Amino acid sequence: MTSFSRAPVSTRDHRIWISMTMSRTRVATKVFPGPQNIGLFAAEALGLFEQRGLDVDIAITSGSDEQRKSLRDGTTQIMHSAVDNAVHMAVVDRADVVIVAGGGTGMNDLIVRPEIRSFQDIRGKCVVVDAADTAYAFLLYTILAKHGLERGSYRVLPRGGAPQRLAAMNENADHVAAMLNPPCSLQAQVQGYHSFGSAVDTVGPYQGDGVFAMRSWATSNAEALVQYLSAFVLGTRWALAPENLEGSIGLLGQRLTLDPAIARLALETSLNSDGGLAQDARFDPVGFRQTLAIRNACVGFPDGKPPSAEAFLDMTYYDKALVALST
């Protein structure tokens, strides 16, 4: 088992804020089980949250529907998920949600069953998605359309997170394709499934994962959110540092109960030059415009075109976190 130092890494401002805090701020989140959250797991394991007066609970979600519901009803306060889920909440649910940091591309591959040898083999069969009307389902529809498979030429089965999607493909030979990211994309290929390529190879720059919260909570808990993001950025820096590779692999395997070889491959895939994790969890404006364009092509927006990207963003908390870490 990997051990982690909990030596203080707080800046003077962090220590002052903690000394002024009478009680710890509780923050709950739900995340998908993958290496996109290694920075979050590292921040937890290194004690970076508690050093900043935060009591953070990281739970594994069954899917984006559950994530969005828990954020709306206040069960969770901060979400790490596909940022298109935040867009969905704002546009469809009319929820006042705000994206406060980035994360990565999502690291999705189009994975198909062993007997599927071409895109045309998918026609008339069933593809498995998280939720049918958000995020990586739109990536799947876009990739299939680029290869001559329009909506209606296949059936869609909503099943939840990547583990649930892979299980659905294993259970029924008619469930032939899904967008999967590590470790599930790797586990599937060990079973003999094929990759038809990564999403970003087809669609280009794409903002997949990010951090978002209800605007009211962010406003009322601004300093706690800054502290949370500073811990997350530090955890991400630690996880991305080459000298911490073995520790990150051990942490990922421990946190997600993974075979060591799969944990290693999942993390190495995420961290290499073509990987999907952004330095310091930075937000990619170009990739986000692509995210909005893909949603617009799949389901549209009420006004017939995507709103300004800035309508969904408030990077002031993130910017303050970086400033605090530089002092």
Side-chain angles (χ1 to χ4, degrees), residues 5-200:
S5 168
R6 289 177 176 262
V9 294
S10 303
T11 66
R12 180 178 63 85
D13 288 342
H14 296 151
R15 291 194 295 269
I16 291 173
W17 182 73
I18 290 171
S19 69
M20 295 173 61
T21 303
M22 300 302 294
S23 61
R24 303 175 72 83
T25 300
R26 180 186 179 277
V27 177
T29 185
K30 290 179 180 287
V31 303
F32 287 95
Q36 69 271 24
N37 293 306
I38 188 61
L40 187 65
F41 297 151
E44 177 188 52
L46 293 166
L48 302 179
F49 291 125
E50 60 187 90
Q51 289 170 17
R52 288 160 173 77
L54 304 175
D55 180 11
V56 176
D57 176 56
I58 304 170
I60 301 298
T61 186
S62 63
S64 58
D65 283 339
E66 179 191 48
Q67 284 186 315
R68 295 193 302 265
K69 180 180 183 300
S70 71
L71 195 63
R72 286 195 304 270
D73 66 21
T75 305
T76 55
Q77 290 76 46
I78 297 176
M79 199 58 64
H80 294 249
S81 185
V83 292
D84 186 74
N85 282 316
V87 176
H88 179 96
M89 290 182 68
V91 173
V92 178
D93 301 334
R94 302 293 184 182
D96 194 10
V97 64
V98 62
I99 301 167
V100 297
T105 66
M107 297 174 280
N108 286 278
D109 273 30
L110 175 51
I111 300 295
V112 299
R113 285 183 55 87
E115 64 272 18
I116 300 300
R117 296 294 178 174
S118 72
F119 280 92
Q120 290 307 312
D121 290 341
I122 298 173
R123 187 179 297 277
K125 297 182 174 64
C126 184
V127 301
V128 190
V129 301
D130 174 8
D133 56 354
T134 61
Y136 304 149
F138 294 155
L139 280 179
L140 178 57
Y141 307 153
T142 300
I143 294 170
L144 294 180
K146 286 180 179 291
H147 290 85
L149 296 173
E150 299 295 339
R151 291 290 298 273
S153 66
Y154 52 85
R155 301 186 307 282
V156 177
L157 174 67
R159 188 52 73 90
Q164 291 90 335
R165 299 198 294 275
L166 179 56
M169 294 171 73
N170 285 333
E171 292 164 3
N172 190 325
D174 191 54
H175 302 163
V176 298
M179 300 306 299
L180 299 178
N181 53 12
C184 288
S185 55
L186 305 172
Q187 293 167 329
Q189 290 175 79
V190 168
Q191 297 175 30
Y193 286 57
H194 311 299
S195 171
F196 275 6
S198 73
V200 293

Side-chain angles (χ1 to χ4, degrees), residues 2 4 35 38 42 235-253 260 262-272 277:
T2 305
F4 299 90
I38 188 61
T236 301
R237 289 177 180 176
W238 185 92
L240 290 174
E243 65 269 21
N244 295 324
L245 177 61
E246 295 302 319
S248 292
I249 291 169
L251 174 59
L252 187 68
I262 290 292
R264 176 176 295 277
L265 187 55
L267 199 61
E268 289 177 344
T269 299
S270 307
L271 300 182
N272 66 28
L277 294 182

Side-chain angles (χ1 to χ4, degrees), residues 194-280:
H194 311 299
S195 171
F196 275 6
S198 73
V200 293
D201 283 346
T202 299
V203 306
Y206 181 81
Q207 182 65 57
D209 304 304
V211 186
F212 50 96
M214 299 301 294
R215 194 184 301 270
S216 59
W217 185 89
T219 300
S220 300
N221 297 272
E223 186 58 36
L225 179 53
V226 170
Q227 298 297 330
Y228 180 96
L229 291 174
S230 73
F232 176 49
V233 169
L234 276 183
T236 301
R237 289 177 180 176
W238 185 92
L240 290 174
E243 65 269 21
N244 295 324
L245 177 61
E246 295 302 319
S248 292
I249 291 169
L251 174 59
L252 187 68
Q254 173 187 320
R255 193 63 173 80
L256 301 181
T257 318
L258 295 176
D259 176 271
I262 290 292
R264 176 176 295 277
L265 187 55
L267 199 61
E268 289 177 344
T269 299
S270 307
L271 300 182
N272 66 28
S273 59
D274 297 322
L277 294 182
Q279 190 72 34
D280 283 357

Side-chain angles (χ1 to χ4, degrees), residues 281-293:
R282 292 191 181 278
F283 191 83
D284 177 11
V286 174
F288 187 53
R289 287 195 290 272
Q290 179 79 288
T291 303
L292 294 177

